[in-house]
């Protein structure tokens, strides 16, 4: 039987006609189509060409499924019943998907077959509409025929930002409303009590349990700290909000607001009763906290690290166990792919020679702090864990694992003599997409690109007049766990020797069934205990004393600070070259890798408020909450401290090339990721780009091809499978089943180790048997290789630190099914280093012991052959058991990418590609 996958957040489908049949009797679809299908008509007019574009027609971008993320009730019903799509809702999905089979014959002239022309402005014959939002004379929104992207031109700064807010609401109002509720931990009461909705609000409320006063204080502090730019950011935000609210009022009067408001019970389709709340300044902070938590807050995990260290020491003793643990942690692996590969060193968060203040829990004493209390109704039948799992494996939870990539080549190695870049964020696949495209032109602003819905007063990833920038998630450690000693009771703790009460914050949520979500009525209370060292996450004993483990993030209470950096990146008067770019990026306090290209230079900068830790503190483990171990000059009232200077962050200008796929940034820069060693998906980019650079004459098409080829490649098959086959081939293979499997696997490796269709639209993989065998074999071989030596407890503990596998079809993995992003988390480096050691090959920073076959090549070979035979015998239906979207055994479908619904519109699946969702291809031909 197909297993039932967890529901996607918000909307699986509108229940038509059972839940809506009464409504449909009252108002026919024909009437709805006439009255609700389209918003206000827009006049068509010519738009003059821009004179501030230095890209020479060589800037392109794409953002599936489409720009239009709003749909009226009629459009939602038509989509659900007949599959019809609103205009511009999925017109970028086909070109995006087509690159998987179209990249091989790609030329520069064909790039815009798969991407949009990202030139500034709209040619007069491509203008679809022109509008003056709210009748204003100081701003114009022009939309192009091909994609419907808004091109906002303002005569005043206020008008420009008003237009940006208006356009954002036109394209993403429902999604923006969802996000402001997620950021406050109030999603269920707004959108329904589905398990995934419960999990999402729990996830974000635990990380950022802010009160309304906290949200406002963050705005006030960000403005106060940044002088004129801070004041300008506040004025821009106010104008942006005015634009959003103007559209809310207009769409309410005209009755063309998003249909989800009706389906979730906020509006009445017949009487128009009900309200859509205006947006306010604190909503922007709530929105920012969601984005920061998903993509810009590396680190944490110290308690799980401590538990696996204890398991290792229990298995091997303290000294040897610590050595084994460190070898699996791979803090600073010499074989890791690097973004800055010129030999520069940027020490950060390394292992201290003499650790001080480490607060390891007593064995068996750790419990997670309960978040949810007082469950009633349907909430009482669903555990907090099941809700959390649903969030982690669906919708926004998978975006946390989505990540991003970048390929940037210096002009010295390109055909045109100008730098070439292909880069973008992987923000997950959603309907509508979390990001939206726009162009903004006005006083002090000149940019086109993508912004997160509801935070689009500036372009966050995109291009200026003569430069482009993009980001990948960097993940360096800006989160620490403190062990606060309890006193008096479980809700008081010692702070600098004084028994201090914890601060209790609560969020009470209740929901009832709607047309969009039939979850039965229920309610619960989320309760977080906050200390000066951050929210409580776990409780334990340390040396017999009761403690609470708290989580302190440097960006906590600073969700609004990054606005200044984005303001600078949009300002043509500020960014004129690599140093200005770096200065802007360092104003962004979230953890990102930033990349830059203009007609002459490339650059890279790693952003984030990296706290300066006390001497001797090991950032991998919990530390005692005492003054001696706090961040240097830490002020708990404002959560500010000393941060490492810009020069200490990995950075570079005009390196021969840069690659990033969430890999290690530079030598001695310790990131938060486990297993970042000899095999990483960053190698898929590095190998291809290095080859292009060695040959020279790199073109935009060639760099797109390198990215697309890596996006279809199975990392395990390209970089680890050859070693597995060498071990097996160390003696003749006499077993017929094993020999046949080896033959299929070798042929796949020889063909390029890709997971790709036999032809466009075939929905059948070439080398399907080999892919099935490796998918079945990998978890079996990893367990057979490592569990005998590590023992069951330690093996399990290490798998909690790092999952064994992350294939496209792995619904049980960290990203979940149909999510695209793959091969970021897995044991590929461990298998690679161990097998090379068993084969007697040189290994830098190898594991502390040999594990496969206990170090015996013959025994290792026997274990691999035994598991290979078992894997080869598994049917496609066993390897791909099916879910709510796919039949058991459908390999292509199991891998396929689904646009996960965050609203009422649904889209079809596309073939798997492991690539950014928003992506730019750029080569500037001149400079100001």
């Amino acid at each position: 039987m197909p297993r039932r996958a967890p529901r996607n957040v918000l909307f699986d489908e509108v229940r038509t006609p059972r839940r809506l049949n009464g409504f449909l009797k009252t108002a026919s679809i024909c009437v709805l189509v006439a009255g609700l299908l389209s918003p206000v008509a827009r006049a068509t007019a010519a738009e003059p060409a821009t004179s501030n574009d230095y890209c020479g027609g060589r800037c392109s971008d794409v953002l599936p499924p489409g720009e239009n993320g709003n749909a009226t009730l009629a459009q939602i019903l038509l989509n659900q019943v007949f599959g019809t799509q609103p205009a511009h809702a999925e017109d970028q999905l086909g070109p995006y998907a087509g690159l998987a089979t179209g990249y091989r014959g790609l030329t520069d002239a064909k790039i815009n077959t798969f991407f949009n022309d990202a030139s500034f402005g709209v040619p007069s014959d491509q203008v679809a509409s022109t509008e003056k939002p709210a009748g204003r004379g100081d701003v114009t929104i022009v939309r192009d025929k091909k994609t419907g992207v808004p091109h906002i031109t303002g005569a005043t700064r206020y008008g420009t930002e008003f237009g940006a807010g208006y356009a954002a609401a036109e394209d993403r109002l429902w999604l923006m409303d969802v996000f402001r509720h997620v950021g406050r931990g109030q999603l269920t009461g707004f959108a329904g009590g589905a398990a995934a909705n419960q999990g999402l609000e729990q996830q974000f409320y635990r990380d950022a349990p802010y009160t309304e006063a906290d949200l406002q204080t963050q705005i006030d502090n960000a403005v106060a700290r940044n002088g004129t730019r801070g004041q300008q950011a506040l004025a821009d935000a106010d104008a942006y909000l005015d634009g959003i609210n103007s559209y809310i009022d207009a769409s309410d009067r005209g009755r063309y607001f998003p249909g989800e408001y009706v389906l979730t019970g906020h509006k009445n389709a017949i009487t128009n009763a009900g309200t859509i709340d205006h947006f306010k300044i604190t909503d922007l902070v709530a929105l920012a906290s969601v984005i920061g938590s998903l993509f810009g807050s590396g680190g944490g995990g110290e308690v799980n690290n401590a538990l696996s260290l204890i398991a290792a020491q229990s298995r091997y003793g303290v000294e040897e166990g610590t050595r084994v643990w460190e070898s699996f942690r791979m803090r600073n692996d010499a074989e890791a792919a690097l973004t800055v590969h010129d030999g520069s060193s940027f020490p950060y968060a390394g292992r201290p020679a003499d650790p001080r203040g480490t607060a390891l829990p007593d064995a068996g004493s750790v419990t997670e702090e309960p978040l949810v209390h007082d469950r009633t109704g349907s909430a009482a039948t669903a555990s907090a864990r099941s809700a959390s799992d649903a969030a982690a494996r669906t919708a926004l939870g998978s975006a946390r694992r989505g990540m991003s990539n970048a390929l940037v080549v210096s002009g010295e190695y390109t055909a045109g003599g100008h730098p070439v870049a292909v880069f973008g964020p992987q923000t997950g696949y959603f309907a509508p997409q979390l990001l939206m495209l726009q162009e903004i032109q006005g006083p002090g602003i000149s940019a086109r690109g993508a912004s997160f819905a509801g935070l689009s007063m500036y372009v966050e990833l995109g291009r200026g007049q003569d430069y482009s920038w993009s980001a990948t998630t960097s993940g360096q450690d800006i989160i620490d766990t403190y062990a606060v000693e309890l006193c008096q009771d479980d809700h008081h703790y010692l702070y600098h020797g004084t028994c201090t009460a914890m601060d209790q914050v609560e969020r009470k949520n209740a929901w009832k069934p709607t047309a969009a979500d039939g979850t039965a009525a229920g309610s619960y209370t989320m309760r977080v205990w906050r200390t000066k060292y951050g929210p409580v996450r776990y409780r334990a004993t340390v040396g017999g004393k009761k403690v609470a483990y708290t989580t302190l993030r440097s960006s906590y209470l600073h969700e609004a600070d990054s606005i200044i950096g984005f303001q600078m990146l949009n300002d043509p008067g500020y960014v004129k070259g690599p140093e200005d770019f770096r200065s802007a990026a360092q104003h962004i306090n979230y953890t990102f890798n930033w990349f830059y290209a203009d007609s002459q230079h490339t650059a890279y900068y790693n952003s984030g408020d990296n706290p300066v830790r006390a001497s001797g503190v090991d950032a991998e483990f919990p530390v005692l909450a005492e003054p001696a171990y706090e961040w240097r000059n830490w002020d708990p009232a404002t959560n500010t401290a000393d941060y490492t200077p810009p020069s200490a962050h990995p950075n570079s200008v005009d390196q021969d090339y840069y690659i990033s796929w969430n890999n290690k940034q530079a030598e001695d820069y310790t990131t938060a990721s486990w297993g970042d060693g000899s095999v990483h998906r960053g190698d898929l980019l590095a190998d291809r780009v290095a080859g292009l650079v060695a040959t020279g004459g790199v073109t935009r098409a060639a760099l797109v091809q390198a990215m697309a080829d890596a996006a279809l490649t199975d990392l395990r098959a390209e970089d680890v499978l050859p070693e597995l086959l060498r071990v097996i081939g160390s003696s003749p293979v006499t077993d017929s089943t094993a020999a046949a499997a080896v033959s299929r696997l070798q042929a796949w490796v020889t063909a390029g180790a890709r997971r790709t269709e036999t032809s466009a639209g075939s929905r059948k993989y070439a080398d399907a048997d080999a892919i099935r065998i490796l998918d079945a074999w990998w978890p079996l071989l990893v367990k057979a290789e490592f569990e005998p030596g590590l023992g069951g407890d330690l093996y399990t503990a290490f798998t909690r630190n790092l999952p064994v596998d992350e294939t496209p079809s792995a619904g049980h993995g960290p990203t979940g099914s149909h999510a695209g992003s793959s091969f970021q988390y897995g044991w590929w480096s461990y298998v690679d280093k161990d097998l090379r050691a068993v084969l007697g090959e040189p290994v830098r920073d190898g594991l502390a012991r040999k594990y496969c076959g206990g170090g015996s090549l013959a025994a290792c070979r026997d274990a691999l052959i035994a598991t290979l035979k078992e894997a080869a015998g598994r049917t496609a239906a066993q390897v791909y058991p099916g879910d709510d979207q796919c039949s058991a055994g459908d390999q292509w479908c199991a891998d396929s990418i689904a646009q996960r619904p965050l609203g009422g519109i649904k889209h079809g699946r596309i073939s798997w590609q492991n690539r950014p969702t928003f992506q730019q291809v750029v080569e500037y031909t001149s400079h100001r």
Side-chain angles (χ1 to χ4, degrees), residues 73 92 129 303 367 387 502 611 871 914:
L73 178 61
Q92 297 184 59
S129 66
V303 171
T367 60
M502 294 180 182
N914 198 4

Side-chain angles (χ1 to χ4, degrees), residues 703-897:
L703 204 57
V704 170
Q705 287 177 312
M707 177 279 301
D709 195 66
L712 297 171
T713 299
D714 189 306
L715 174 65
R716 306 163 305 171
E718 178 162 302
D719 284 353
V720 187
L721 184 53
E723 290 154 7
L724 290 163
L725 297 178
R726 285 209 307 276
V727 171
I728 290 175
S730 60
S731 295
V733 181
T734 57
D735 182 271
S736 59
T737 300
V742 166
S743 178
R744 290 187 179 95
L745 291 169
Q746 185 60 64
W748 182 32
V749 171
T750 302
R754 301 177 191 90
R755 302 171 77 101
T756 187
E757 292 177 284
T758 54
S759 60
S762 72
R763 298 195 170 195
K764 300 290 183 183
Y765 276 155
D767 302 293
D769 280 346
I771 294 170
R772 171 187 57 81
I773 291 169
L774 184 58
D775 284 349
W777 189 25
W778 185 265
L780 298 175
L781 77 85
V782 171
K783 187 172 184 178
E785 181 176 355
F786 290 100
E787 189 176 50
L790 292 172
D793 290 346
L794 182 53
Y795 177 76
T796 300
F798 278 158
T799 61
R800 292 194 185 106
N801 293 126
L802 183 67
V804 166
D805 202 6
E806 189 188 24
T807 65
S809 61
H812 58 277
T815 306
S817 300
H818 308 297
S821 183
S822 309
F823 304 121
Q824 170 69 2
Y825 302 96
W827 283 39
W828 3 99
S829 288
Y830 303 157
V831 174
D832 167 68
K833 286 179 181 285
D834 188 47
L835 292 183
R836 284 191 287 137
V838 170
L839 286 164
E841 298 174 358
V843 182
R844 291 184 297 162
D845 287 345
L847 299 178
R849 296 184 167 205
K850 297 176 183 177
Y851 290 94
C852 191
S856 163
L857 179 60
C860 177
R861 179 179 179 275
D862 289 344
L864 294 183
I865 288 178
T867 52
L868 177 59
K869 289 173 61 179
E870 181 181 353
R874 294 193 175 179
T875 66
Q878 290 173 313
V879 180
Y880 311 105
D883 56 23
D884 62 342
Q885 299 191 52
C886 303
S887 300
D890 190 335
Q891 184 182 54
W892 175 91
C893 187
D895 277 14
S896 66
I897 296 171

Side-chain angles (χ1 to χ4, degrees), residues 533-731:
Y533 295 94
V536 173
R537 189 64 185 265
Y538 300 93
R539 294 180 185 269
T541 61
V542 174
K545 295 181 179 179
K546 293 174 69 175
V547 303
Y549 282 128
T550 67
T551 300
L552 188 63
R553 167 169 55 97
S554 68
S555 54
Y556 182 69
L557 294 174
H558 295 278
E559 314 290 357
D561 291 13
S562 295
I563 192 172
I564 302 303
F566 292 115
Q567 184 191 93
M568 292 173 169
L569 287 169
N570 281 240
D571 184 353
Y574 187 83
V575 178
K576 298 178 181 177
E579 289 307 313
D580 303 324
F581 152 75
R582 188 183 81 160
S583 176
Q586 73 191 39
H587 280 81
I588 296 170
N589 66 330
Y590 291 127
T591 56
F592 289 111
N593 300 304
W594 293 97
F595 297 88
Y596 168 93
D598 62 25
S599 66
Q600 303 167 10
H601 299 289
T602 62
Y604 161 74
Y605 184 78
N606 165 251
S607 72
D609 281 347
N610 294 350
V612 177
R613 295 179 172 89
S615 177
V617 165
D618 191 335
E620 291 294 311
F621 302 108
V623 64
L624 295 171
E626 298 175 3
Y629 310 118
E630 294 171 355
W631 296 341
R632 194 171 72 190
N633 288 328
W634 175 62
D635 180 354
T638 57
N639 191 33
T640 54
D642 288 349
Y643 307 109
T644 59
S647 60
H649 289 239
N651 67 93
S652 170
V653 175
D654 291 335
Q655 187 174 259
D656 52 354
Y657 67 88
Y658 301 100
I659 63 92
S660 177
W661 211 346
N662 320 110
N663 51 278
K664 189 176 179 63
Q665 288 82 5
E667 290 183 15
D668 302 318
Y669 198 70
T670 301
T671 65
S673 299
W674 275 67
D676 193 346
S678 56
V679 177
H680 189 282
R681 67 180 182 179
D683 294 309
L684 296 175
L685 300 181
D687 293 344
R688 287 160 174 77
V689 177
L692 290 176
V693 167
T695 302
V698 179
T699 63
R700 287 187 299 144
L703 204 57
V704 170
Q705 287 177 312
M707 177 279 301
D709 195 66
L712 297 171
T713 299
D714 189 306
L715 174 65
R716 306 163 305 171
E718 178 162 302
D719 284 353
V720 187
L721 184 53
E723 290 154 7
L724 290 163
L725 297 178
R726 285 209 307 276
V727 171
I728 290 175
S730 60
S731 295

